Amino acid sequence: MSHYLTFLAETATIVVAILIVAGGIAAIALSKRKPTPAGQVQVTDLRRQIEQSGAHIEALRLDKKARKAQQKALKKAHKAQNKETEKCTYLLDFKGDIRASAVSTLREEITAILQAAQPGDAVLIRLESGGGMVNTYGLAAAQLLRLRAAKIHCTVLVDAVAASGGYMMAVTADRIVASPFALLGSIGVVAQIPNFHRWLQERNIDFEQFTAGKFKRTVTLFGENTDSGRAKLREELEETHALFREFVEQYRPQLDLEKVATGEAWLGSKALQLGLVDQLATSDEIIVDAAQDGKLLQISYQRPKNLTQKIGLAAQRGWDSLWFR
């Protein structure tokens, strides 16, 4: 049985690898024939969705006569809403990974909003990120600054975490709202890297690296790190931290940076005391309030998946179904 299971595992691995390689080759061939279709901005009327959900529950509580009266009143209200121009709030979602990959869709969503927004409109952003690469999160923050430049009021909603690069994005907003146990802050910079130099030496393996420029490489994975290289990396981290502090101070001047720019993160209630956030509430509360105040549209940019991505997802699902049933 153990031999059979080993054979089955090897076979499954080979099949998945072949599928991925074949998908990559096919995708390259197709990409030469025709360009990848552009994505599309999808808009969902959240106020209508919220109203319909409530009406459906309410209808089950009413008798037939009362239900008809309620439906009639709801239709009348919708007609009145459509006749007049109301304030519109746009809802965006940003779920950040270490590379802030979602910035590619965020920029499209903000561009779409800037084309349609009217004076008095506002933006809500549900933000969840523990931070990551400085340059990509800097780009994400710069995208949100486009809303500020257009004088569109922006509120960042944090239900779980907005730390480091995530908090860098949050401070660009006019208002930050966090749930009581959300984690915020981490205004600091970190770099960590394993080093296998001694392990290679024990096995008589040489590692050679060629660079031009004294500090082209400061610390490495496989080479012997020097005191000067370590000192240079610390210097670069301090410079980046200083820029991070300046950025936060520019948009939240009320903060005492000596207290909060230590790399620590705090839960929502403490973050409110320190001035890192402006209000404690869940995103759901703010969204429902916005729906009662005017139109509420959720904006999301969707890109069609290419053949490689589809085959990769299919292979992953197949692998999961094989081993995790």
Side-chain angles (χ1 to χ4, degrees), residues 204-224:
N204 296 318
I205 300 172
D206 292 329
F207 173 76
E208 296 185 12
Q209 179 174 262
F210 305 92
T211 61
K214 183 179 178 181
F215 292 114
K216 178 61 180 176
R217 285 289 179 269
T218 51
V219 296
T220 71
L221 275 169
F222 303 108
E224 183 177 6

Side-chain angles (χ1 to χ4, degrees), residues 13-313:
T13 303
I14 292 170
V15 169
V16 170
I18 291 172
L19 284 173
I20 293 172
V21 172
I25 294 171
I28 292 170
L30 286 175
S31 65
K32 291 180 179 178
R33 294 180 188 176
K34 58 180 180 179
T36 303
Q40 290 185 337
V41 173
Q42 296 186 353
V43 183
T44 304
D45 188 340
L46 280 187
R47 182 171 72 174
R48 182 68 61 88
Q49 198 175 83
I50 291 169
E51 288 175 349
Q52 288 177 343
S53 298
H56 179 68
I57 295 172
E58 186 67 20
L60 296 176
R61 299 177 59 249
L62 302 173
D63 57 31
K64 189 174 180 181
K65 185 178 179 180
R67 192 182 309 159
K68 285 184 177 180
Q70 183 210 48
Q71 291 172 347
K72 188 175 179 181
L74 193 59
K75 287 180 180 178
K76 187 176 180 181
H78 286 159
K79 285 182 181 179
Q81 289 167 2
N82 292 332
K83 285 180 181 179
E84 58 186 46
T85 303
E86 297 179 283
K87 171 188 173 182
C88 184
T89 301
Y90 304 94
L91 174 66
L92 305 179
D93 283 291
F94 185 94
K95 191 167 185 179
D97 55 21
I98 195 168
R99 296 185 300 114
S101 304
V103 73
S104 62
T105 55
L106 178 67
R107 68 200 316 169
E108 301 289 351
E109 292 161 359
I110 289 177
T111 296
I113 289 171
L114 292 177
Q115 301 305 308
Q118 300 295 320
D121 287 354
V123 172
L124 301 176
I125 302 175
R126 280 188 296 205
L127 173 64
E128 181 180 336
S129 174
M133 296 170 64
V134 174
N135 54 344
T136 49
Y137 273 94
L139 176 59
Q143 293 298 326
L144 298 188
L145 286 175
R146 295 169 64 195
L147 297 172
R148 182 181 281 264
K151 294 182 171 46
I152 298 175
H153 191 277
C154 176
T155 300
V156 162
L157 310 174
V158 184
D159 283 328
V161 59
S164 194
Y167 190 70
M168 180 192 291
M169 292 178 65
V171 298
T172 65
D174 298 284
R175 188 166 63 117
I176 303 174
V177 180
S179 65
F181 287 93
L183 197 63
L184 299 106
S186 190
I187 304 171
V189 185
V190 63
Q192 52 190 7
I193 182 171
N195 184 265
F196 298 96
H197 177 66
R198 285 184 295 178
W199 184 85
L200 293 175
Q201 277 188 324
E202 290 172 0
R203 287 155 181 79
N204 296 318
I205 300 172
D206 292 329
F207 173 76
E208 296 185 12
Q209 179 174 262
F210 305 92
T211 61
K214 183 179 178 181
F215 292 114
K216 178 61 180 176
R217 285 289 179 269
T218 51
V219 296
T220 71
L221 275 169
F222 303 108
E224 183 177 6
N225 292 323
T226 63
D227 289 340
S228 62
R230 294 187 186 97
K232 180 61 178 176
L233 179 58
R234 290 192 187 97
E235 180 186 329
E236 291 171 350
L237 293 178
E238 290 295 339
E239 289 177 358
T240 304
H241 187 218
L243 289 172
F244 192 175
R245 285 171 56 112
E246 289 173 12
F247 188 84
V248 171
E249 186 176 28
Q250 181 178 357
Y251 297 106
R252 291 191 76 83
Q254 70 273 30
L255 287 175
D256 182 350
L257 290 181
E258 294 305 316
K259 283 186 178 180
V260 300
T262 59
E264 298 170 83
W266 293 271
L267 296 178
S269 53
K270 182 64 176 178
L272 180 64
Q273 294 175 19
L274 292 170
L276 292 164
V277 302
D278 303 298
Q279 180 184 347
L280 292 185
T282 65
S283 63
D284 307 281
E285 295 172 79
I286 304 301
I287 289 168
V288 170
D289 288 345
Q292 294 172 348
D293 194 35
K295 289 184 178 178
L296 177 61
L297 303 178
Q298 184 172 17
I299 309 296
S300 63
Y301 186 80
Q302 303 292 331
R303 283 192 175 90
K305 292 182 175 61
N306 59 36
L307 185 59
T308 307
Q309 292 169 322
K310 289 178 180 177
I311 291 178
L313 288 171

